[in-house]
Amino acid sequence: MRGLATPTAASSSQPGRAGLVSRRPDGPIAWLLVGLLACGGASQPAAFPLGEPIPLGILELTVIRMEAVPSPPPVPLSILHAQPGDRVIVAYVEWDGLEGLAEQDRFYFVETFLEDRLTLVDAVGNEYRALSALTRPMYANSDPRGMLGGTVPRDWVVVFHALEDERDFALLVEHPEPREGEPEVARVELGTLDVP
Amino acid sequence: MPRTGSRPKRRSFPLPPLFFGSMLILSCEMGASGGSACEGLSDRRMGITREEYRPCAGEIIATLDALRLELERIADGDTAALSTARSISRELRALIRQTGIEADYRSFRPGVVFERWPDGDLRAFNGYAFDATFQYSTFLTGSFDRTSSRLDEGVKAHEGARDAYRRFE
């Protein structure tokens, strides 16, 4: 797991903006999209519905749903506690693929990919980068090591800290090396957050 | 100065955490080897497999072997081997550069390494090969005294790379 992200300069006037990349749609993903469009032939993010596998080369990722982390969180991790003004949101995902790799290597790859390549976007265009990725058993506090019985769980949660006033979100998944027919960026609409 | 002492036995040891000073030596040289099996790997961003990497890794091992032969001659006092050794060293550094390993380490982003090289045996090979290249280059340039310990460190890393290569050969 990684530590909290450093708030950007644009957000430094307000407390607790860990994970917020930009308050306007000009964060790294937005610039990536501008770059893609400027390169002639590039396309908008490819839309994927919840539950549909996204082909990402050696990995296939399916976004299941999102939820607000309850208070207190299911497992006592600092990453699951938000600063005032923020809300902790987790996206549930499942992975497949990574054939021929040792279990430990699969773990490192999945954890790294989920933390580096997923971005949460709210309805006004604010982008929030992933702060941590946990296996479902870790999140459920049933396996602190993350490797249940030596096998990497297929289901994970990805942790974001977002502005608590926002309710509608989408998830962007960046593909570092798209093959024929695979998206450079996939967009999954997560819907409206159900806040208890 | 003749090298004294026995050659280090091959043994396994933790991946050397060496990245300091590598730019001093490795960044000085850049002619790319034409037509090597390592060409194009630096452009890859995800999931290099052992099948894809095997030919390049084999070439790196063969070049390390050739360089070591010349360095041992130099250590035994044969300064005529310097020219050949320098030429082989340039080839080796060009191969390493073509893999993109150097850029990976320079990024200081572990995620880059795991994404490009998800297979742990390939990562282990890269670490040892990078270390061996650095140690051999340092010995060759004479930036430090050409001591047997410097060459021995290179040999240890070289053999570590060979062990890792055998796991995916």
Side-chain angles (χ1 to χ4, degrees):
Chain A
M1 290 188 293
R2 298 190 306 196
L4 295 177
T6 304
T8 62
S11 61
S12 58
S13 60
Q14 300 201 30
R17 291 298 175 260
L20 175 60
V21 176
S22 173
R23 292 190 62 87
R24 296 165 298 167
D26 63 354
I29 294 293
W31 280 113
L32 172 65
L33 299 179
V34 169
L36 291 174
L37 290 171
C39 289
S43 56
Q44 296 277 357
F48 283 80
L50 289 169
E52 180 168 323
I54 303 168
L56 301 163
I58 62 173
L59 179 77
E60 192 177 77
L61 193 70
T62 304
V63 182
I64 306 300
R65 62 186 176 91
M66 72 169 169
E67 76 176 15
V69 173
S71 182
V75 58
L77 294 173
S78 62
I79 201 73
L80 297 179
H81 291 273
Q83 297 288 334
D86 281 356
R87 186 191 314 282
V88 186
I89 296 172
V90 292
Y92 288 73
V93 300
E94 291 178 3
W95 67 269
D96 201 354
L98 300 182
E99 307 300 332
L101 292 179
E103 288 299 319
Q104 194 67 47
D105 289 336
R106 289 176 157 190
F107 185 92
Y108 292 144
F109 185 93
V110 171
E111 182 183 52
T112 299
F113 186 91
L114 295 178
E115 290 181 353
D116 284 358
R117 300 294 180 179
L118 268 58
T119 302
L120 191 70
V121 183
D122 65 25
V124 297
N126 295 316
E127 295 178 3
Y128 311 89
R129 70 176 194 240
L131 297 181
S132 186
L134 311 171
T135 67
R136 278 290 299 275
M138 287 171 71
Y139 181 61
N141 205 20
S142 61
D143 175 33
R145 297 163 305 147
M147 293 270 287
L148 206 59
T151 302
V152 183
R154 297 290 171 141
D155 46 349
W156 288 60
V157 298
V158 186
V159 182
F160 301 89
H161 290 193
L163 295 172
E164 66 178 352
D165 294 338
E166 299 300 326
R167 292 281 192 277
D168 297 306
F169 295 95
L171 193 66
L172 299 178
V173 182
E174 189 186 339
H175 189 347
E177 193 176 74
R179 301 172 186 171
E180 181 92 21
E182 295 180 348
E184 292 186 64
V185 181
R187 181 181 174 106
V188 182
E189 297 298 331
L190 298 173
T192 301
L193 192 65
D194 186 17
V195 179
Chain B
M1 178 181 300
R3 190 167 67 88
T4 59
S6 58
R7 301 203 191 292
K9 289 189 171 56
R10 206 168 65 192
R11 62 174 187 260
S12 59
F13 56 100
L15 189 66
L18 171 124
F19 304 145
F20 302 108
S22 58
M23 266 67 95
L24 283 176
I25 305 294
L26 295 178
S27 62
C28 293
E29 166 53 45
M30 311 315 100
S33 291
S36 83
C38 301
E39 268 188 56
L41 284 172
S42 61
D43 295 330
R44 292 291 307 280
R45 289 289 164 263
M46 185 178 187
I48 298 170
T49 66
R50 49 181 60 194
E51 290 73 26
E52 291 170 321
Y53 196 42
R54 199 174 288 131
C56 171
E59 207 168 316
I60 290 172
I61 286 288
T63 311
L64 280 168
D65 288 343
L67 179 57
R68 176 172 160 182
L69 204 60
E70 300 304 318
L71 296 182
E72 287 172 348
R73 289 189 179 130
I74 294 167
D76 288 338
D78 180 4
T79 55
L82 272 171
S83 175
T84 303
R86 285 181 181 133
S87 175
I88 299 173
S89 179
R90 277 194 294 274
E91 279 186 40
L92 177 61
R93 296 203 300 275
L95 289 175
I96 295 291
R97 181 169 294 268
Q98 287 176 347
T99 65
I101 300 170
E102 188 182 359
D104 291 345
Y105 296 155
R106 191 186 292 140
S107 76
F108 282 96
R109 286 185 52 218
V112 170
V113 176
F114 288 119
E115 266 188 5
R116 295 188 71 234
W117 312 93
D119 190 321
D121 288 334
L122 305 194
R123 289 196 305 274
F125 173 85
N126 289 345
Y128 286 123
F130 188 89
D131 189 14
T133 302
F134 173 71
Q135 297 288 358
Y136 285 166
S137 296
T138 305
F139 177 88
L140 188 57
T141 59
S143 300
F144 307 92
D145 291 336
R146 289 208 179 95
T147 62
S148 61
S149 63
R150 178 73 54 186
L151 182 58
D152 290 349
E153 288 300 313
V155 170
K156 272 192 247 179
H158 183 171
E159 292 306 317
R162 194 191 311 282
D163 284 345
Y165 176 63
R166 286 191 175 133
R167 292 198 289 274
F168 63 90
E169 186 179 12

